């Protein structure tokens, strides 16, 4: 029958194949890249032996689970569950959840799937999970020239310099305090996922300044799975710069740079119920939702 165990180093390609088979079946996109998986498995916060599990049956990997706790007490455990489309998803998901609950012990566990994944949602709710927030992937075609950005008075924009990594990190962390999930990554963890990845392109990190103060940022890269698209990875405005159109100006500036480089579309991800009104901002700029992910949570006693 097989048992859950940590993945081996020589199973990287098989694990990537499993993940993308799951993503294609559930979300319609095989969107896990080798760079993303490698970055996750080497993250400073991840212990592969402790935090990752795979299930092997008939000589093939058929399931994967991981846990990624926040630092709050009790922690929120972000848990990724993936099952091969040809396997018994209902029964295997129950095995994965049992391991996640044992590993977590206390706090709240959070999983996710496509909002259109009726069978997966039924399985998870049957295991005690409650659907909650949604996350959208949004896009815009860049065939036509986007509207011109209108900058607030005395605001200038430029790309990031090499000596500004920690300054940008502090600004991102500050802005994320006003979102549904405050950022608790250390600088080393943040840098591992951003400036130390293969996809990092500092010429696509745009910083807006009001005088000498960093007022906002749009940290972009090429879309991980669509080389014809630019991706807005992190966009934010610090409190003193809000309600002046700076967020929209940074977004449109990013679109123009994408188009200048030959990208045919722009994409991003956003919390559907963002307290800062990000979804409305993106809709005003002409973006539309093309993927809806639902988060489900279960509080452990």
């Amino acid at each position: 029958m097989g048992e859950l165990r940590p993945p081996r180093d020589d199973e990287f390609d098989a694990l990537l194949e499993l993940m993308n088979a799951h993503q294609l079946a559930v979300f319609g996109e095989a969107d896990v890249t080798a760079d993303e998986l490698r970055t996750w498995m080497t993250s400073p916060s991840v212990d592969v032996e402790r935090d990752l599990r795979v299930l092997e049956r008939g000589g093939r990997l058929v399931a994967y689970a991981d846990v990624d706790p926040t630092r709050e007490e009790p922690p929120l455990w972000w848990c990724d569950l993936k099952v091969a489309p040809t396997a018994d998803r209902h029964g295997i998901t129950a095995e994965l959840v049992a391991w996640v609950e044992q590993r977590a012990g206390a706090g709240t566990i959070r999983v996710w799937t496509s909002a259109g994944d009726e069978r997966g949602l039924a399985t998870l709710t049957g295991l005690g999970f409650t659907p909650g927030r949604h996350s959208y992937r949004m896009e815009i075609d860049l065939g036509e020239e986007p509207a011109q950005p209108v900058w607030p008075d005395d605001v200038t924009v430029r790309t990031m310099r090499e000596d500004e990594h920690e300054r940008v990190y502090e600004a991102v962390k500050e802005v994320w305090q006003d979102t549904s999930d405050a950022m608790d990554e250390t600088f080393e963890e943040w840098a591992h996922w951003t400036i130390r990845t293969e996809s990092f392109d500092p010429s696509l990190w745009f910083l807006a300044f009001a005088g000498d103060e960093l007022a906002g940022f749009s940290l972009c890269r090429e879309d991980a799975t669509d080389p014809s698209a630019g991706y807005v990875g992190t966009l934010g405005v610090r409190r003193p710069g809000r309600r002046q159109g700076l967020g929209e100006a940074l977004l449109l500036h990013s679109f123009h740079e994408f188009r200048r480089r030959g990208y045919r579309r722009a994409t991003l991800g956003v919390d559907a119920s963002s307290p800062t009104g990000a979804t409305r901002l993106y809709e005003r700029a002409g973006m539309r939702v093309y993927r809806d992910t639902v988060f489900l949570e279960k509080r452990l006693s």
Side-chain angles (χ1 to χ4, degrees), residues 6-7 73 91 108 136 144 151 165 193 198 220 238 240 254 267 295:
E73 289 296 338
T108 299
Y136 293 153
E144 296 183 4
W151 300 101
H165 295 165
W193 279 99
E198 294 177 7
C220 306
R238 298 173 66 196
S254 304
T267 63
F295 294 100

Side-chain angles (χ1 to χ4, degrees), residues 17 55-63 86:
E17 181 181 356
L55 182 64
E56 180 183 0
R57 287 184 179 167
R60 296 191 52 146
L61 297 186
V62 297
T86 55

Side-chain angles (χ1 to χ4, degrees), residues 23-253:
Q23 292 295 99
L24 185 61
V26 174
F27 289 101
E29 293 182 286
D31 59 357
V32 183
T33 66
D35 182 36
E36 179 185 4
L37 179 56
R38 191 176 299 110
T39 301
W40 162 241
M41 296 182 71
T42 59
S43 170
S45 64
V46 171
D47 182 328
V48 172
E49 294 292 316
R50 179 192 64 196
D51 300 329
L52 278 61
R53 290 292 182 270
V54 294
L55 182 64
E56 180 183 0
R57 287 184 179 167
R60 296 191 52 146
L61 297 186
V62 297
Y64 166 86
D66 66 35
V67 295
D68 184 20
T70 60
R71 290 182 172 83
E72 60 192 286
E73 289 296 338
L76 169 67
W77 300 79
W78 289 81
C79 307
D80 194 3
L81 311 179
K82 289 183 166 49
V83 181
T86 55
D88 171 20
R89 187 176 174 199
H90 180 85
I92 291 176
T93 299
E95 290 186 58
L96 300 180
V97 169
W99 173 76
V100 165
E101 292 180 354
Q102 181 181 29
R103 167 70 183 89
T108 299
I109 52 179
R110 176 183 288 172
V111 299
W112 58 90
T113 191
S114 167
D117 179 20
E118 295 182 3
R119 292 181 61 190
L121 287 169
T123 293
L124 291 167
T125 54
L127 292 169
F129 287 87
T130 301
R133 287 168 35 213
H134 290 242
S135 174
Y136 293 153
R137 286 293 297 268
M138 302 182 72
E139 65 179 353
I140 184 172
D141 296 326
L142 298 176
E144 296 183 4
E145 185 174 2
Q148 291 296 323
V150 178
W151 300 101
D153 293 340
D154 302 321
V155 167
T156 58
V157 63
R158 62 168 173 79
T159 56
M160 184 187 67
R161 298 194 299 252
E162 190 172 349
D163 63 350
E164 294 178 313
H165 295 165
E166 293 199 36
R167 186 179 190 182
V168 172
Y169 161 75
E170 292 294 342
V172 172
K173 188 173 181 179
E174 176 187 320
V175 168
W176 250 244
Q177 300 306 307
D178 296 329
T179 68
S180 300
D181 291 300
M183 175 178 157
D184 69 351
E185 293 174 315
T186 65
F187 173 74
E188 285 301 313
E189 291 166 341
W190 177 83
H192 179 81
W193 279 99
T194 54
I195 61 177
R196 295 173 187 160
T197 63
E198 294 177 7
S199 61
F200 174 55
D201 181 351
S203 69
L204 281 173
W205 279 34
F206 307 116
L207 308 183
F209 287 86
D212 294 330
E213 289 296 315
L214 176 56
F217 46 83
S218 179
L219 314 181
C220 306
R221 57 174 169 80
E222 184 175 288
D223 188 285
T225 56
D226 181 0
S228 71
Y231 181 74
V232 182
T234 309
L235 186 146
V237 176
R238 298 173 66 196
R239 288 180 181 178
R242 293 176 188 170
R243 301 186 183 279
Q244 301 174 47
L246 180 54
E248 185 172 7
L250 279 163
L251 184 67
L252 293 173
H253 181 82

